[in-house]
Amino acid sequence: MTTDRGPDRTRQPGDPVRLRTPDQPTVLPDWMLDPPPPRRTLGVRIAEGVAALPGAGAVRRRWWAWQGRQRLRDRYPNTVKVIAMLVSFAASLALVLFAYALFSQV
């Protein structure tokens, strides 16, 4: 195995690993090599202002916890399906009995 350090010189285990610098300078313009900082948009300014309010960190953490919660229908899908079936049966039975009571009064 040869390297760029010399003809037929293999890397020894004790040699430090160094990055090889390019032989030619870069052709990128200065504004690409050292770009200006990004402009602060209106949204960034508003977000920084809201984040500076007292208690904003606690509200943000509670919001993240609320968004990351797992709902009961995700944790226990079969149990929720059985309960929903029983509730729909009770609702339909109540509607049928209500209709029967209305028609029986005539």
Side-chain angles (χ1 to χ4, degrees):
M1 176 178 166
T2 61
T3 64
D4 58 347
R5 284 179 264 168
D8 295 332
R9 177 153 188 253
T10 59
R11 185 178 175 279
Q12 300 299 323
D15 289 346
V17 178
R18 292 189 188 101
L19 296 176
R20 190 170 65 94
T21 57
D23 297 333
Q24 297 178 356
T26 181
V27 293
L28 293 174
D30 290 337
W31 66 270
M32 288 180 111
L33 293 173
D34 188 22
R39 285 184 255 167
R40 291 173 59 220
T41 62
L42 179 63
V44 170
R45 291 180 189 154
I46 291 173
E48 289 174 351
V50 170
L53 293 174
V59 170
R60 186 173 53 247
R61 285 188 297 275
R62 289 189 66 126
W63 176 255
W64 289 343
W66 174 261
Q67 292 297 314
R69 76 189 190 285
Q70 192 175 19
R71 298 175 186 232
L72 284 175
R73 67 173 180 246
D74 296 332
R75 284 189 286 177
Y76 308 107
N78 292 334
T79 305
V80 171
K81 289 174 189 175
V82 169
I83 291 173
M85 185 184 65
L86 293 175
V87 167
S88 64
F89 174 74
S92 61
L93 181 64
L95 286 173
V96 168
L97 290 176
F98 180 71
Y100 180 73
L102 281 179
F103 288 117
S104 67
Q105 290 193 5
V106 176

